Every structure is written in C-alpha cells, then in structure tokens.
C-alpha cells in the first residue's frame, strides 16, 4: 500500500497520525511513502521515518499543478533534486506519475539521475486535470485527454531495455487488466480509484469482498493462461493490436516483439 502525499504531515504535525496508522495496522506489509518530486532530502527521510516505509514514491504531477489555480508553476531543477534524494534516501526511490504516464525520454532522464523503479501512473483512470477542472481549474476541460496511456507507457519503458523495475498503474480496473500488465512485463500493478470508489460508496466490508473476488478472477486468468507464477506469465506471447500497436510503430518500437517470445 502506498500512502498519499505526506507534505501536509511534514508541514502540520497534527496530520502525522493519519499516515502512521497505515504502519500500525500493517506492521509487516510493504508500505510506500509518497512526496512530490520536488521534495528535499530531509523531507524524504522524514516521510520514510513517519511510516517506517519500505520505499519512497516521488510523484510527478506537472499537468495537475498547472491545472490547479493555486498549483506550482516552477519546475526547474527537479531532476537534480531527485538525484540528491536518491543518494540520501535510506530506501529505494520510485518515480511515479499520477495519471499522465511516463515517456521513455522522461524515464531515461530519471534513470540517469539514479532512479531504478518507475510507476507508469498512466492515462486511462483517475484524471487529475478533469478533477481540477471541476474545482475551477485553469484548463477548462480543454486538456482532459492529455497523457500517455498506461499500456503505452509500460511498453515504452520495457522497450527502452533499461535494468529497471516497473509498476503499472493508471486505469487498472479488472483482473484481466492486472494479468495483461504482468504478462507484458510489469513487476507490480497499482490500483487507486477503483478501490477508493468501493470504499467510499459501499464500505470496508464490501471492499474486502471485492478484493477476494478479484483475486479469484486473477488466479483464474493465470490458470487459464497456463501460468503458475508471474515469471511464467511474463514469458507468454502477447499480441498487441489497434492504436497501441500504431503508437509503438510510430515510436520505432516493434509491437510484434511481445508476440515472438
Ligand atoms: C483520491 C486520490 C488521491 C491521490 N493522491 C495521490 C497522491 O497524494 N500522490 C500520488 O502520487 N498519487 C496520488 N493519486 C494518484 C494515484 O496514485 C494513481 O496514480 C492514479 O490515481 C491512477 O490510478 P487509478 O486510475 O487506479 O486511480 C491519488 C489518486 C486518487 C484517486
């Protein structure tokens, strides 16, 4: 589980408990801290300490900031700052988009800054430009389709052949979505909006039930696909069609390489 941005708790200590409770309830699980990519090295260490985190996500949300009337407008020097955090952070650092996806060029720059884990945070699910627009945002509905779809972002990172770990997230809703991302080569998969909607409208018990049913369907897909584990699933041929294949060809990436395994 990854928490939301901890900036608020670094600024006002009264909020700390709403983050540390995650570790209290889940003493042995994988818990990921979260801060803006512009965070200082000291804040990064404090965020990790706050929840005894196993990793730190640094989120990149430039479109959201620009859509927000009160958002940041200055992004110079962020990559250099990320490099400093990677050097001093006691746990692995994950570069994470928040719904607009990473291109292979962005990933290469962050790789050169020392990042070795990427969360695609691709387009197709929660849309923070649309959310900010509803709060009177600056984009006025004109840029709602901005971003790189999750499948494309994942494939761009995979095709770059960098020795990195990839978390696929952004619009993952079904067991089939999870299986597809893992079959393509993602190491992990993240879901936010779908789970939060069930929690909000139907409560925690229903969410528990939903997750159990979801895991049943995911195991079924593994069995139907003849894969006993993620590694075997990721060796299966995957056929990429339609606009995703077109996108890859336009970027000089051979979409049939995943079918030729
Ligand atoms: C209510 C809500 C709050 C979020 N807050 C953060 C945040 O603080 N930091 C962050 O990196 N991502 C945040 N996200 C983005 C998610 O981590 C995820 O990248 C994005 O929602 C795409 O996944 P989804 O389509 O499954 O929701 C938030 C998403 C939601 C729905």
């Amino acid at each position: 589980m990854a928490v939301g941005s901890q900036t608020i708790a670094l600024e006002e200590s009264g909020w700390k408990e709403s983050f540390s409770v995650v570790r209290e309830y889940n003493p042995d699980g994988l818990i990921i801290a979260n801060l803006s990519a512009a965070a200082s090295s000291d804040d990064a260490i404090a965020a990790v300490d706050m929840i005894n985190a196993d990793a730190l996500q640094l989120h990149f949300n430039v479109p959201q900031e620009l859509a927000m009337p009160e958002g940041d407008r200055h992004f110079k020097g962020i990559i250099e700052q990320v490099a400093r955090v990677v050097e001093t952070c006691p746990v692995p650092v994950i570069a994470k988009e928040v719904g607009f996806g990473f291109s292979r060029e962005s990933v290469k720059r962050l790789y050169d800054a020392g990042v070795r884990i990427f969360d695609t945070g691709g387009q197709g699910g929660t849309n923070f430009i649309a959310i900010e627009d509803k709060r009177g945002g600056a984009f006025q509905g004109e840029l709602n389709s901005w971003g790189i779809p999750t499948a494309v972002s994942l494939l761009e990172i995979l095709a770059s052949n960098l020795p990195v770990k990839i978390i696929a997230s952004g619009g993952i809703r079904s067991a089939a979505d999870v299986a597809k991302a893992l079959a393509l080569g993602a190491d992990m998969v993240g879901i936010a909006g779908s789970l939060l909607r069930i929690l909000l409208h139907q409560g925690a018990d229903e969410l528990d039930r939903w997750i159990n049913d979801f895991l049943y369907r995911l195991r079924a897909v593994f069995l139907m696909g003849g894969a006993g584990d993620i590694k075997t699933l990721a060796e299966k041929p995957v056929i990429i069609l339609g606009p995703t294949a077109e996108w890859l060809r336009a970027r000089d990436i051979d979409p049939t390489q995943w079918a030729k395994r």
Side-chain angles (χ1 to χ4, degrees):
M1 179 178 175
V3 299
S5 178
Q6 291 165 264
T7 306
I8 186 165
L10 295 176
E11 287 170 356
E12 295 173 45
S13 60
W15 287 100
K16 274 189 186 157
E17 210 195 308
S18 82
F19 292 93
S20 55
V21 68
V22 172
R23 180 51 90 194
E24 279 162 36
Y25 272 81
N26 193 351
D28 306 318
L30 181 73
I31 303 287
I32 305 176
N34 187 293
L35 280 180
S36 154
S40 70
S41 301
D42 286 349
D43 281 354
I45 291 169
V48 169
D49 279 353
M50 194 188 299
I51 56 172
N52 192 13
D54 301 289
L56 170 69
Q57 287 175 336
L58 293 178
H59 66 251
F60 290 75
N61 68 337
V62 172
Q64 180 186 10
E65 295 292 341
L66 292 176
M68 251 192 276
E70 75 279 19
D72 283 344
R73 297 290 182 266
H74 304 286
F75 306 101
K76 262 206 176 122
I78 282 192
I79 303 267
E80 293 75 10
Q81 183 51 36
V82 168
R84 281 190 284 273
V85 169
V86 169
E87 240 171 59
T88 51
C89 187
V91 294
V93 170
I94 303 167
K96 173 180 179 300
E97 245 293 348
V98 301
F100 308 104
F102 280 121
S103 66
R104 64 179 174 206
E105 289 82 0
S106 304
V107 165
K108 179 69 174 62
R109 286 183 70 187
L110 288 164
Y111 180 84
D112 290 342
V115 178
R116 294 293 179 267
I117 312 174
F118 292 87
D119 185 328
T120 58
Q123 186 220 40
T126 303
N127 182 337
F128 277 103
I129 289 179
I131 291 169
E132 295 305 334
D133 276 346
K134 288 222 161 118
R135 302 172 55 226
F139 289 178
Q140 302 191 11
E142 283 189 14
L143 295 173
N144 283 1
S145 61
W146 181 266
I148 302 174
T150 297
V152 170
S153 184
L154 171 60
L155 291 163
E156 288 220 356
I157 304 173
L158 287 167
S160 67
N161 277 323
L162 294 169
V164 297
K165 297 287 179 199
I166 312 174
I167 303 169
S169 82
I172 303 283
R173 294 181 182 86
S174 67
D177 291 340
V178 174
K180 283 179 199 172
L182 294 174
L184 284 173
D187 298 283
M188 290 171 78
V189 180
I191 309 178
S194 299
L195 300 183
L196 290 174
R197 258 187 300 277
I198 296 168
L199 184 63
L200 197 62
H201 298 300
Q202 299 173 57
D205 288 345
E206 188 53 38
L207 181 58
D208 269 350
R209 253 194 305 279
W210 188 89
I211 290 174
N212 277 324
D213 293 350
F214 181 89
L215 290 176
Y216 173 78
R217 290 191 292 276
L218 185 57
R219 289 194 188 97
V221 175
F222 269 73
L223 182 58
M224 294 185 295
D229 53 34
I230 294 174
K231 189 174 167 289
T232 314
L233 189 70
E235 287 163 359
K236 301 282 175 189
V238 179
I239 317 294
I240 299 171
L241 302 170
T244 306
E246 268 175 56
W247 180 308
L248 294 176
R249 274 193 290 269
R251 295 276 280 162
D252 260 337
I253 299 168
D254 176 11
T256 68
Q257 64 188 278
W258 288 275
K260 292 177 187 153
R261 286 163 164 172

